Amino acid sequence: MDSSNTWIQSFIYLFIVSASVHFLHTLLISPKLTVNHQNARVKRVAQAPLRFRSDGTFKILQVADMHFGNGKLTRCRDVLESEYNYCSDMNTTRFLEKMIQLEKPDFVAFTGDNIFGSSATDAAESLFQAFGPVIKSGIPWAAVLGNHDQESTMTREELMSFISLMDFSLSQTFPSVEDNSNSNKQNPVTNIDGFGNYNLRVWGAPGSNFANSSVLNLYFLDSGDRATVDGVRTYDWIKESQLDWLRHVSQKVQEQNLDINESPSLAFFHIPIPEIRQGPLYSVVGHYREYVACSLVNTGVLNTLVSMGDVKAVFIGHDHKNDFCGNLGGIWFCYGGGFGYHGYGLAGWPRRSRVILAELGKGEQSWGGVKRIKTWKRLDDETLSKIDEQILWERE
C-alpha cells in the first residue's frame, strides 16, 4: 500500500471519529449543559458595590407576591370578567417591565412567593420568566422566598442557590462569613436557620466623603413557609439563630459607621410577624383589607429590631390585599401589596408595587449620610397611578 492511500485512510478515520464525537456531544452531552434552552455560560455580575447616584438618591422597587406559574398558560385570579380571557402571567411580566421603565430603580427587592409552586411545572423555567424583566434591564436585584416558592420542583435551598446564580442577582443562600466574624474570607455561614439570610450594603455617592463607606444597610431574612406547632398548622417564623446573626451584623455595621451620624437599615422578608396582628399600629397609611396571616409563634422579632436601633422600616408581602404602612415600636412595617396576577386579590382593585427612595443629606462640599427615606406605591392602571407617598424616616 502506497503512502497516499495510507494518508487517505487516516484522514477518513479521523473524520469518522470527529463526526462521532460531535454527534455524541450534540445528542447526549450538550442538552445537559443547557438551561432554559441556552448554552451554559458565566453569570453576568451586577456592578458592585451598590451605591447612591451622583444626585444623592437610591431607589428600590419592592415586588411582592408575583405568584408566577407557567407564563402564557397560567390564567389570572380575581380579575374582572371582562379581563379574564386575555389575562395571564404575561400581565405580571408587563407590569414589572412598566415599573422598571417608569421608576428606573437602582435595585429591585423581591419579597417572596416569586413563583406559585403548585402552578409552576418547572421551577427553574418559572424563575427565569418571573425575573426576566429585571435580568433584561441589567439592574441589580435580590430575593427572598415566600411560603409557596418551594411547592414546585426545587427545595428551598435549591431555589436560593439557583436564584443566587442568576444574572445580576445579589441574592445569597447563606450569609457570608464577612458579616459573621472578623475574617476576610467569603465562605458561607451555614449554621443558621433558613435559606436566604444575608446583608447588602449601599455605599455613598461617588466623589463624596462616604464614597467608600456603607451609608445604608439592607437585611434579607427567610421567614420560612409552613410549620406545625402542638398539632396545629401555622406559618413558619424567623428563628433565634437568624436573630442572633442579625444582631451581630447590626452591631458590626454600626461600629464601622461611627464617622456617620446615623446609618439607617431596611429589612425585607415575606411573612408578617405576629406583633403586626396584635398591634396597635400607629399612623397607618394605605389599606388594611385582610387579617394578618402570620405564625402562632412569636420569637421577639420586633423587640430585636427595636433593640438594634438601626432598622427604620421593614418591607413584607404575603397578605395581598394589605398595602399599608403602619408604625410599630417606632419602626414602619410596610406591605408591598399584591403584584402578581396569578395571586389572589380583589377584582377591580389594581395590582400594585411599592417604591422606596433614600435621599442623602447635602454637606458643605459633598453628599453626606442618609437624610430621609420615603415610599409610595404605583398601581397597574392606565397611568401607573402614584399613591400614598409618605416619609418613613428623617434625620433629626
Side-chain angles (χ1 to χ4, degrees), residues 65 67 112-113 145-151 156 224-226 235 270-271 318:
D65 298 274
H67 278 241
D113 282 358
L145 301 178
N147 54 291
H148 287 299
D149 293 278
Q150 78 289 339
E151 294 171 347
R156 294 181 71 82
D225 51 279
R226 293 184 180 273
Y235 287 108
H270 182 70
I271 299 175
H318 192 54

Side-chain angles (χ1 to χ4, degrees), residues 136-197:
K136 184 179 179 181
S137 74
I139 296 171
W141 61 279
V144 291
L145 301 178
N147 54 291
H148 287 299
D149 293 278
Q150 78 289 339
E151 294 171 347
S152 180
T153 56
M154 288 185 179
T155 65
R156 294 181 71 82
E157 182 174 7
E158 290 169 342
L159 283 164
M160 278 310 304
S161 178
F162 190 87
I163 290 171
S164 71
L165 295 173
M166 298 180 79
D167 288 344
F168 308 115
S169 170
L170 299 178
S171 311
Q172 299 172 33
T173 309
F174 300 103
S176 66
V177 76
E178 175 190 44
D179 290 324
N180 208 58
S181 71
N182 294 322
S183 171
N184 290 322
K185 297 179 180 179
Q186 294 297 307
N187 298 323
V189 176
T190 57
N191 57 338
I192 184 172
D193 287 285
F195 307 101
N197 303 292

Side-chain angles (χ1 to χ4, degrees), residues 73-303:
L73 300 178
T74 301
R75 309 307 301 175
C76 297
R77 292 180 59 184
D78 297 329
V79 294
L80 297 175
E81 186 176 351
S82 60
E83 300 171 327
Y84 181 79
N85 288 335
Y86 56 87
C87 189
S88 72
D89 276 339
M90 294 299 96
N91 290 62
T92 303
T93 296
R94 285 190 289 269
F95 184 26
L96 183 51
E97 290 172 341
K98 289 185 293 185
M99 285 298 300
I100 290 172
Q101 183 178 11
L102 176 65
E103 290 288 359
K104 297 178 174 56
D106 301 291
F107 177 75
V108 181
F110 295 92
T111 50
D113 282 358
N114 310 295
I115 61 173
F116 190 54
S118 59
S119 297
T121 306
D122 184 314
E125 179 65 27
S126 294
L127 289 171
F128 273 120
Q129 291 191 63
F131 298 133
V134 71
I135 291 174
K136 184 179 179 181
S137 74
I139 296 171
W141 61 279
V144 291
L145 301 178
N147 54 291
H148 287 299
D149 293 278
Q150 78 289 339
E151 294 171 347
S152 180
T153 56
M154 288 185 179
T155 65
R156 294 181 71 82
E157 182 174 7
E158 290 169 342
L159 283 164
M160 278 310 304
S161 178
F162 190 87
I163 290 171
S164 71
L165 295 173
M166 298 180 79
D167 288 344
F168 308 115
S169 170
L170 299 178
S171 311
Q172 299 172 33
T173 309
F174 300 103
S176 66
V177 76
E178 175 190 44
D179 290 324
N180 208 58
S181 71
N182 294 322
S183 171
N184 290 322
K185 297 179 180 179
Q186 294 297 307
N187 298 323
V189 176
T190 57
N191 57 338
I192 184 172
D193 287 285
F195 307 101
N197 303 292
Y198 54 99
N199 170 56
L200 298 176
R201 305 184 187 198
V202 186
W203 291 24
S208 71
N209 294 334
F210 301 117
N212 296 317
S213 301
S214 170
V215 297
L216 177 66
N217 215 56
L218 310 177
Y219 300 124
F220 293 82
L221 292 166
D222 180 9
S223 56
D225 51 279
R226 293 184 180 273
T228 302
V229 178
D230 297 330
V232 179
R233 289 274 289 169
T234 184
Y235 287 108
D236 214 336
W237 59 90
I238 295 172
K239 311 297 196 300
E240 185 59 35
S241 66
Q242 297 168 273
L243 297 179
D244 284 342
W245 167 79
L246 193 60
R247 283 187 287 262
H248 179 92
V249 176
S250 173
Q251 181 180 358
K252 188 170 182 180
V253 166
Q254 293 182 67
E255 288 173 352
Q256 291 175 346
N257 294 339
L258 290 177
D259 55 340
I260 304 174
N261 187 24
E262 187 173 8
S263 180
S265 298
L266 307 174
F268 300 84
F269 51 85
H270 182 70
I271 299 175
I273 58 175
E275 292 92 333
I276 299 176
R277 184 168 66 189
Q278 294 163 4
L281 291 164
Y282 296 96
S283 305
V284 173
V285 177
H287 298 87
Y288 194 151
R289 288 182 175 268
E290 66 176 305
Y291 186 70
V292 175
C294 59
S295 177
L296 296 174
V297 178
N298 188 332
T299 54
V301 175
L302 178 61
N303 288 337

